[in-house]
C-alpha cells in the first residue's frame, strides 16, 4: 500500500471523530481536500516552488509519535515571562483546557478552540476557513485532517490589548498533528497573536499548521510565529492574510527548530493604502533545513510592504528564501521593499535567497536585495583588538546580525521571548544574555 | 619599552613596511608623521595584531615578550591599545555591552574583579564626562551613525577605560573640530605616566601643541627616514615632506633597506 493510500485509509477511519463531522460543508471540503492530496502527493523538487525543499521522503518515512514532556512546566515558564495575555495551549492535536487560561475578553471578541467553534460558531468558521483548493498539497492534507487550532474573531473597532498566545506542544498522534487557526478582524479592530511551537521529546513528528487572517478595513493584526520544534520534527506551515483598505499586517516568523521547516507566508492588499511588514529570522545547524516562501500581492493602489529576512546558517544546514512581490497594473504608488541577508557560519552551510519582483504598474517604488556572506573581518578584528577572544567576538557579531530582526518585534515581552529562544540556539548564548 | 627592529610587512605580496626601526621607552610619547600611504596605519595594525598583514622579517620586543607571537586579543589584554583611524560600526551591539566586555576581558587578565553592571556604569559615566560624551552613546550601537568626531571620542573613551600600557593613536585628531581636539589631547595627557608609552600618528603639527611629544619620526615608504625632537614637526609643517629628501639621511634611515 502506498503512503497516499495509507492517508486515505486513515481518513476513512478518523472522519467520524474529526471535529465538525456533522457539518456537510466541512465533510465535503475535507473529502475534496483528501482527494486533492492523494492526487498530487507530497511536493517534490520538480515543482518550482519546492525546488530546494522536496517532501518526497515523507512518502516513505514512518512518523513517530512525540511526547510533550512536562507541558505544564513549559507553559509556566512562558507565562511567567509574559504575564499578560490570553492563553490557549494545545498538546498534540487537541486543545488542553487545563493548561490554558483564556481570561476575560472584552465585548466583541470571540476566542476559542476551533473544534469548539465548529459547534457554536460554525458560520464564522465556514466563512473564514478557506477552500480545499488553497495552497499546495500539504495545505490540502491539513484541511482534510485538521483537528483543532484557534478561532479569534474581533468585531468592528475592538482592540484586544493583551496578546493572544497560542502554544503548541507536540504529543499524541503518530500520523502528525494538523492545526488550523482563523483570525478575523472586522473594520478597525486590532490584535496581536503569537503562535509558539515548542519542542517536546524528540521524534519525527509531522505538523501542518495553517493560519488564515482576514484584516478588515483599517484593522491591525500583528502576528508572531516562533517555531522551536524538536530536532527530528517536520513542520509545514502556511500563513495567509487578506487585507482590506488601510489594514495593517505584521508577520514575524522566527524559525529556529525542526529538521525541516517550511513556511508559506502570503498577504494580499485588497484595498487601498494597506501596510505589511514581513519580518523573518531563521537559524539552522546540523543537517537541518528551513524554507520561507513569501508572497506579497499589491493588488490595490498606495500599499506599502516592507520585508526583511535574515538567516543564520551553521553546520551543514540549509536556508531557502523565496520572496515574491507582485504589483498589479492598477496598484499605482505602491512601495515595496524587500531584503534577505544570510550569514554563513560554516563552510558546509548553504543559503538560497531569491527575490522575485513582478511589477505591472508604472508609478511604484520598489527595491530588493539579497546577500549571502560571512562575518565581517573588520568588525571581528575591532572586537579582538579590545580583548574579546575570537569565539566571543564571533558569537557577538552573529547575535548582532540576528538582533536586527528581533528589534522589529514591537512588544518587549515578545521580543524578550524571541531573544531567549535565539540565544538558546547560539553557542555562547549565556555570555550574551547581558546584551539586552 | 617597545623595540621594533627591521620590521617588514606585506599585504597580498605587496611590500608596505620595509625595514622599520623604532624604540619607545616607558613614559615617552612619540609622534609619527608621514605622507599618505607611507605605512603609518599598517604599522599600527601590525602592532595590534591584524593578520591581513604578513610580517616577513624583523621583530617587536615588548618588555621582553615577542609581541608578534601573540594574537590580537592577548596583546590587548596585555595592555596594547590601538585607537583606529577608521573605527568600525557594529550594528546590534550596544556600546555599553561592548565597553563592558572589553573592560572585563582586560580586568580578568590583570587579576582584578570584573565590574558588575553598577560599578561599570559608575566608571563609564565618569570617563564619558571627561571626554564630553553624552550618556545616550552608551545605548546606541557601537559607532553606528556616530559622526566622525564622535567615533574618535569613543576611541578615546575606550582608551581611558582600558588604561593601556602602550597606546597607538592612528590619526585620532583627524576630522576633529578644535574643541574636540582639545578633549582628545586632554584624554591623552591624562593618561601620560612613567609606565605608559604612546605612539601618536598624525598629519598635523597642531595636535603636537597639545600633546607634546618626546620624539617625532617621519615615515616614508615603509621606513623611518628621519627622527628628531618636536621642532621636526614644525619644520615639516613649513617645508613639506619633499624637504626631507633634500636633507642628509637621518640615522634611522641608514642600513634599513634590504
Ligand atoms: N589591505 C590592503 N590591501 C592592499 N593594499 C593595502 C592594504 N592596506 C594597506 N594597503 C596599502 O599600503 C599602503 C600603506 O597604507 P597605510 O594605510 O598604512 O598608509 P598610511 O600611512 O596610514 O596613510 P594615510 O595617511 O592616508 O592614513 C598604501 O599604499 C595602501 O594602499
Ligand atoms: Mg593611515
Amino acid at each position: 500500500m502506498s503512503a497516499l493510500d495509507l492517508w486515505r485509509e486513515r481518513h476513512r477511519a478518523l472522519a467520524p471523530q474529526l471535529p465538525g463531522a456533522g457539518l456537510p460543508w466541512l465533510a465535503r471540503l475535507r473529502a475534496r481536500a483528501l482527494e486533492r492530496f492523494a492526487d498530487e502527493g507530497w511536493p517534490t523538487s520538480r515543482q518550482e516552488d519546492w525546488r530546494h525543499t522536496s517532501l518526497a521522503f515523507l512518502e516513505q518515512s514512518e512518523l513517530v509519535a512525540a511526547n510533550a514532556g512536562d507541558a505544564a512546566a513549559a507553559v509556566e515558564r512562558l507565562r511567567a515571562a509574559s504575564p499578560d495575555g490570553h492563553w490557549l495551549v494545545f498538546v498534540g492535536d487537541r486543545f488542553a483546557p487545563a493548561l490554558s487560561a483564556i481570561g476575560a475578553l472584552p465585548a466583541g471578541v470571540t476566542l476559542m478552540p476551533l473544534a469548539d467553534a465548529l459547534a457554536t460558531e460554525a458560520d464564522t468558521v465556514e466563512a473564514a476557513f478557506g477552500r480545499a483548493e488553497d495552497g499546495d498539497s500539504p495545505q490540502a492534507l491539513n484541511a482534510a485532517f485538521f483537528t483543532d487550532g484557534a478561532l479569534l474573531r474581533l468585531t468592528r473597532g475592538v482592540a484586544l490589548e493583551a496578546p493572544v498566545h497560542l502554544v503548541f506542544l507536540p504529543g499524541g498522534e503518530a500520523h502528525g498533528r494538523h492545526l488550523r487557526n482563523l483570525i478575523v478582524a472586522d473594520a478597525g479592530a486590532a490584535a496581536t497573536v503569537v503562535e509558539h511551537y515548542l519542542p517536546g521529546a524528540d521524534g519525527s513528528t509531522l505538523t501542518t499548521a495553517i493560519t488564515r487572517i482576514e484584516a478588515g478595513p483599517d484593522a491591525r493584526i500583528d502576528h508572531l510565529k516562533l517555531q522551536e520544534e524538536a530536532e527530528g520534527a517536520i513542520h509545514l506551515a502556511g500563513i495567509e492574510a487578506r487585507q482590506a483598505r488601510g489594514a495593517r499586517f505584521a508577520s514575524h516568523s522566527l524559525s529556529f527548530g525542526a529538521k525541516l521547516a517550511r513556511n508559506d507566508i502570503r498577504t494580499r492588499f485588497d484595498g487601498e493604502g494597506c501596510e505589511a511588514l514581513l519580518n523573518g529570522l531563521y537559524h539552522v545547524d546540523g543537517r537541518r533545513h528551513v524554507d520561507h516562501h513569501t508572497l506579497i500581492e499589491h493588488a490595490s493602489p498606495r500599499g506599502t510592504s516592507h520585508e526583511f529576512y535574515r538567516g543564520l546558517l551553521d553546520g551543514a544546514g540549509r536556508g531557502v528564501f523565496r520572496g515574491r512581490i507582485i504589483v498589479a497594473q492598477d496598484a499605482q504608488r505602491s512601495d515595496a521593499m524587500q531584503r534577505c541577508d544570510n550569514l554563513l557560519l560554516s563552510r558546509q552551510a548553504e543559503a538560497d535567497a531569491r527575490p522575485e519582483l513582478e511589477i505591472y504598474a508604472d508609478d511604484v517604488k520598489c527595491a530588493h536585495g539579497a546577500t549571502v556572506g560571512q562575518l565581517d573581518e573588520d568588525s571581528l578584528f575591532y572586537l579582538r583588538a579590545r580583548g574579546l577572544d575570537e569565539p566571543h567576538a564571533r558569537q557577538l557579531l552573529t547575535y548582532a546580525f540576528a538582533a536586527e530582526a528581533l528589534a522589529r518585534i514591537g512588544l518587549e515581552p515578545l521580543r524578550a521571548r524571541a531573544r531567549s529562544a535565539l540565544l538558546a540556539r547560539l553557542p555562547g548564548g549565556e555570555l550574551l544574555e547581558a546584551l539586552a | 619599552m617597545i623595540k621594533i627592529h627591521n620590521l617588514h610587512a606585506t599585504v597580498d605580496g605587496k611590500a608596505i613596511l620595509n625595514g622599520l626601526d623604532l624604540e619607545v621607552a616607558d613614559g615617552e610619547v612619540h609622534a609619527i608623521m608621514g605622507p599618505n600611504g607611507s605605512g603609518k596605519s599598517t604599522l599600527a595594525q601590525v602592532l595590534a595584531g591584524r593578520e591581513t598583514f604578513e610580517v616577513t622579517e624583523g621583530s617587536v620586543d615588548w618588555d621582553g615578550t615577542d609581541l608578534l607571537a601573540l594574537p590580537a586579543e592577548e596583546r590587548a589584554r596585555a595592555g596594547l591599545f590601538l585607537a583606529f583611524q577608521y573605527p568600525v560600526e557594529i550594528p546590534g551591539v550596544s556600546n555599553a555591552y561592548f565597553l563592558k566586555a572589553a573592560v572585563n576581558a582586560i580586568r580578568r587578565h590583570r587579576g582584578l574583579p570584573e565590574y558588575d553592571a553598577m560599578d561599570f556604569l559608575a566608571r563609564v559615566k565618569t570617563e564619558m564626562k571627561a571626554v564630553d560624551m553624552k550618556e545616550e552613546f552608551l545605548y546606541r550601537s557601537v559607532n553606528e551613525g556616530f559622526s566622525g568626531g564622535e567615533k574618535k571620542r569613543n576611541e578615546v573613551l575606550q582608551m581611558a577605560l582600558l588604561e593601556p600600557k602602550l597606546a597607538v593613536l592612528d590619526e585620532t585628531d583627524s576630522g576633529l573640530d578644535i574643541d574636540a581636539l582639545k578633549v582628545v589631547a586632554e584624554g591623552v595627557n591624562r593618561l601620560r605616566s612613567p609606565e605608559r608609552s604612546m605612539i601618536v600618528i598624525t598629519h598635523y603639527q597642531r595636535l603636537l601643541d597639545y600633546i607634546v611629544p618626546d620624539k617625532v619620526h617621519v615615515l616614508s615608504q615603509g621606513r623611518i627616514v628621519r627622527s628628531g625632537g618636536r621642532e621636526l614637526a614644525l619644520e615639516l609643517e613649513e617645508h613639506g615632506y619633499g624637504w626631507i629628501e633634500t636633507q642628509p639621511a637621518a640615522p634611522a634611515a641608514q642600513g634599513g633597506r634590504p
Side-chain angles (χ1 to χ4, degrees):
Chain A
M1 204 189 284
S2 84
L4 297 179
D5 289 334
L6 272 176
W7 284 106
R8 269 210 187 90
E9 187 132 304
R10 231 173 248 147
H11 198 263
R12 244 190 313 276
L14 278 174
Q17 304 139 46
L18 287 172
L23 297 167
W25 69 266
L26 186 57
R28 281 197 301 276
L29 190 150
R30 285 192 193 268
R32 278 205 312 280
L34 178 72
E35 280 321 301
R36 190 183 151 216
F37 177 73
D39 219 38
E40 295 178 16
W42 292 109
T44 71
S45 50
R46 284 193 302 277
Q47 279 151 268
E48 181 57 20
D49 272 354
W50 296 82
R51 200 148 66 100
H52 299 292
T53 308
S54 175
L55 298 181
F57 71 97
L58 286 171
E59 189 69 40
Q60 267 95 50
S61 90
E62 281 293 306
L63 299 168
V64 180
N67 181 346
D70 191 346
V75 173
E76 204 35 61
R77 267 197 303 280
L78 292 182
R79 290 193 56 184
S82 324
D84 289 349
H86 311 281
W87 295 80
L88 277 77
V89 177
F90 299 81
V91 176
D93 59 2
R94 301 283 167 172
F95 179 61
L99 298 173
S100 300
I102 295 181
L105 295 166
V109 178
T110 308
L111 175 61
M112 59 169 69
L114 193 61
D116 294 356
L118 282 166
T120 60
E121 312 277 334
D123 293 348
T124 308
V125 175
E126 183 178 1
F129 191 86
R131 303 166 311 149
E133 292 71 32
D134 291 342
D136 291 323
S137 61
Q139 189 160 341
L141 182 75
N142 175 281
F145 282 93
F146 86 91
T147 51
D148 220 339
L151 169 72
L152 172 63
R153 166 84 204 272
L154 304 151
T155 56
R156 194 183 179 82
V158 176
L160 195 51
E161 294 286 327
V164 172
H165 300 272
L166 309 178
V167 180
F168 300 95
L169 286 140
E173 312 305 320
H175 64 273
R177 53 176 173 169
H178 306 280
L179 304 158
R180 191 166 279 237
N181 303 302
L182 305 176
I183 299 167
V184 182
D186 289 352
T192 299
V193 179
V194 183
E195 264 181 66
H196 195 162
Y197 295 84
L198 289 170
D202 216 338
S204 55
T205 60
L206 169 69
T207 298
T208 70
I210 302 297
T211 297
R212 294 177 50 86
I213 297 167
E214 284 177 26
D218 299 316
R220 175 188 61 75
I221 296 294
D222 288 327
H223 184 263
L224 170 71
K225 173 167 168 184
L226 188 47
Q227 187 274 107
E228 297 190 87
E229 290 220 48
E231 249 175 78
I234 312 293
H235 184 94
L236 308 174
I239 297 169
E240 303 212 339
R242 284 294 189 81
Q243 297 178 242
R245 176 185 47 75
R248 284 175 294 154
F249 170 55
S251 155
H252 306 273
S253 175
L254 312 180
S255 187
F256 299 156
K259 179 168 82 182
L260 184 152
R262 161 83 178 219
N263 284 293
D264 284 278
I265 301 176
R266 306 170 170 199
T267 190
R268 198 171 97 177
F269 296 169
D270 285 334
E272 287 201 22
C274 291
E275 283 175 31
L277 166 68
L278 268 63
N279 180 35
L281 177 65
Y282 45 89
H283 172 258
V284 283
D285 53 13
R287 307 196 58 80
R288 301 189 304 112
H289 183 109
V290 59
D291 179 341
H292 279 89
H293 268 55
T294 69
L295 170 63
I296 302 172
E297 286 183 76
H298 284 255
S300 304
R302 293 193 305 104
T304 302
S305 67
H306 287 162
E307 179 167 22
F308 308 94
Y309 268 76
R310 293 211 147 187
L312 301 172
L313 307 147
D314 207 346
R318 185 161 189 199
V320 179
F321 172 82
R322 184 180 181 208
R324 285 178 77 195
I325 295 176
I326 302 175
V327 181
Q329 200 169 359
D330 61 353
Q332 299 297 358
R333 303 186 54 200
S334 290
D335 178 350
M337 112 106 130
Q338 181 194 76
R339 283 211 61 84
C340 176
D341 299 297
N342 290 281
L343 186 56
L344 295 180
L345 297 167
S346 94
R347 285 179 183 281
Q348 287 87 44
E350 211 184 310
D352 303 285
R354 187 149 56 112
E356 268 174 49
L357 266 57
E358 298 168 34
I359 301 171
Y360 303 103
D362 42 32
D363 181 12
V364 297
K365 211 169 95 189
C366 286
H368 67 95
T371 61
V372 177
Q374 281 147 18
L375 289 176
D376 177 46
E377 288 298 325
D378 289 338
S379 307
L380 268 177
F381 180 66
Y382 191 61
L383 295 172
R384 292 176 57 217
R386 295 297 179 254
L388 277 70
D389 56 35
E390 187 165 340
H392 185 190
R394 285 186 182 279
Q395 288 150 12
L396 185 55
L397 293 176
T398 303
Y399 174 81
F401 176 85
E404 221 181 275
L406 300 181
R408 293 197 184 90
I409 301 171
L411 290 177
E412 166 51 28
L414 301 185
R415 193 163 58 239
R417 200 197 299 185
R419 183 171 49 234
S420 29
L422 173 67
L423 289 177
R425 296 272 154 187
L426 299 182
E430 329 75 61
L431 252 179
L432 303 176
E433 283 292 353
L435 264 172
Chain B
M1 168 100 171
I2 185 157
K3 296 182 200 165
I4 304 171
H5 176 63
N6 191 31
L7 190 63
H8 289 69
T10 62
V11 60
D12 299 333
K14 176 181 154 196
I16 299 178
L17 298 183
N18 300 303
L20 186 144
D21 293 293
L22 179 67
E23 292 190 3
V24 183
D26 290 351
E28 287 186 354
V29 173
H30 289 209
I32 295 183
M33 306 183 81
N36 294 131
S38 56
K40 301 181 300 295
S41 292
T42 302
L43 170 64
Q45 300 263 331
V46 166
L47 291 178
R50 182 91 199 221
E51 289 98 346
T52 331
F53 300 98
E54 195 192 344
V55 174
T56 52
E57 214 184 319
S59 63
V60 180
D61 177 293
W62 187 28
D63 293 339
T65 42
D66 174 5
L67 183 75
L68 299 176
L70 302 178
E73 52 270 44
E74 285 179 30
R75 298 183 199 190
R77 290 180 208 154
L80 189 148
F81 179 86
L82 168 63
F84 284 60
Q85 181 174 3
Y86 304 108
V88 182
E89 299 194 5
I90 311 184
V93 177
S94 79
N95 212 16
Y97 179 90
F98 166 67
L99 296 171
K100 183 163 167 247
V103 175
N104 279 339
I106 281 158
R107 288 180 68 85
R108 223 175 297 135
H109 180 84
R110 292 182 187 161
L112 297 167
E114 289 184 33
Y115 282 137
D116 64 18
M118 294 279 279
D119 298 341
F120 170 73
L121 264 187
R123 170 79 200 279
V124 77
K125 282 183 187 168
T126 315
E127 299 293 353
M128 286 179 95
K129 228 174 248 134
V131 294
D132 199 16
M133 262 174 97
K134 288 212 185 75
E135 201 182 317
E136 61 160 279
F137 285 97
L138 276 181
Y139 308 107
R140 286 171 59 176
S141 291
V142 177
N143 293 324
E144 193 188 26
F146 288 23
S147 75
E150 288 162 353
K151 283 180 183 163
K152 298 296 172 90
R153 273 178 215 235
N154 205 27
E155 295 291 290
V156 177
L157 171 66
Q158 290 165 49
M159 179 173 73
L161 282 168
L162 301 179
E163 304 176 296
K165 221 183 130 2
L166 169 65
V168 181
L169 288 87
D170 191 358
E171 294 198 27
T172 305
D173 56 328
S174 290
L176 294 186
D177 64 42
I178 191 71
D179 293 342
L181 184 74
K182 281 184 194 157
V183 165
V184 167
E186 277 162 22
V188 170
N189 287 332
R190 248 195 324 275
L191 279 182
R192 276 182 106 147
S193 82
E195 314 80 61
R196 225 169 243 145
S197 21
M198 299 195 196
I199 298 173
V200 179
I201 297 169
T202 182
H203 283 295
Y204 306 104
Q205 103 79 28
R206 181 182 70 163
L207 177 71
L208 306 181
D209 289 340
Y210 300 102
I211 304 172
V212 180
D214 297 294
K215 278 201 178 126
V216 175
H217 308 275
V218 178
L219 185 60
S220 173
Q221 292 175 31
R223 301 157 70 237
I224 303 285
V225 292
R226 196 172 184 98
S227 301
R230 56 178 297 223
E231 67 291 344
L232 178 55
L234 289 165
E235 283 178 279
L236 285 170
E237 180 105 324
E238 193 165 335
H239 306 293
Y241 291 115
W243 163 78
I244 301 268
E245 269 133 52
T246 68
Q247 298 292 302
Q254 283 166 2
R257 208 175 279 276

